[in-house]
Amino acid sequence: MANIRIRNTNERLTGEQEVKRFLNEQGILYEHWDTGKIPNDLRDTFILSYEKKEEILNIFDSEIRSLANRRGYKEWDIVALSDATPNLDELLKKFEQVHVHTEDEVRAITAGNGIFTIKGDSGYFDVELSAGDVISVPVNIPHFFTLMENRKVVAVRLFIDASGWVAHSYEDPEFKS
């Protein structure tokens, strides 16, 4: 279940309803999918073949299509990151830069953990995500996504147009890493 840390006060928000309320106030979609239907051999697997990625997409097909229909997403894929990912540290350095997109950035975590750092109404906050958490950061909201200490995540990503899903740097003197 997602947790939130508000950076300027170090306040923590926990519990699905409290997290959902706070994110909703920021204009951010949050929902939770049932990961109990993932087979045991996929629960803690972070190196995925094409076939295993397709299996995960098939498991969550109804949830993906429901979200896509509600929000206008047209394409989706799976991203899997772990210490086995080539050049992971270099890749994370690119991720860990505050940026915006011209469409929503969507993650549905199916295994592992990740953090979205997002600029809200009163400063930056961290959304700590785990398996089952789904978040959609709206267009032009400053943010970045990175891994947590375990450095492992598998996530479904949804796009309106994957070719247009480009990070645009956002310089912000308020942001402190």
Side-chain angles (χ1 to χ4, degrees), residues 98 119 123-124 142 169-176:
V98 177
K119 185 171 187 176
Y124 283 89
S169 182
Y170 183 88
E171 298 298 323
D172 189 351
E174 289 181 40
F175 177 72
K176 295 172 185 68

Side-chain angles (χ1 to χ4, degrees), residues 28-112:
I28 297 168
L29 172 102
Y30 171 80
E31 53 189 54
H32 195 80
W33 293 353
D34 177 15
T35 57
K37 58 187 181 177
I38 298 174
N40 286 338
D41 68 318
L42 284 177
R43 286 186 190 268
D44 291 314
T45 304
F46 298 93
I47 303 171
L48 299 170
S49 65
Y50 173 81
E51 291 77 18
K52 293 292 184 188
K53 289 179 180 182
E54 288 298 308
E55 185 177 349
I56 293 169
L57 291 174
N58 287 332
I59 288 168
F60 290 104
D61 186 66
S62 64
E63 292 89 343
I64 292 168
R65 291 184 186 283
S66 171
L67 183 57
N69 288 337
R70 285 181 278 136
R71 309 281 292 204
Y73 307 128
K74 306 221 182 306
E75 300 180 44
W76 40 89
D77 68 9
I78 294 278
V79 63
L81 300 170
S82 70
D83 284 324
T85 303
N87 303 315
L88 180 63
D89 289 322
E90 291 173 33
L91 189 59
L92 291 176
K93 284 179 188 171
K94 291 179 189 174
F95 285 2
E96 295 170 353
Q97 303 291 323
V98 177
H99 60 271
V100 296
H101 296 283
T102 57
E103 67 175 72
D104 301 347
E105 183 166 347
V106 186
R107 294 282 186 286
I109 308 299
T110 64

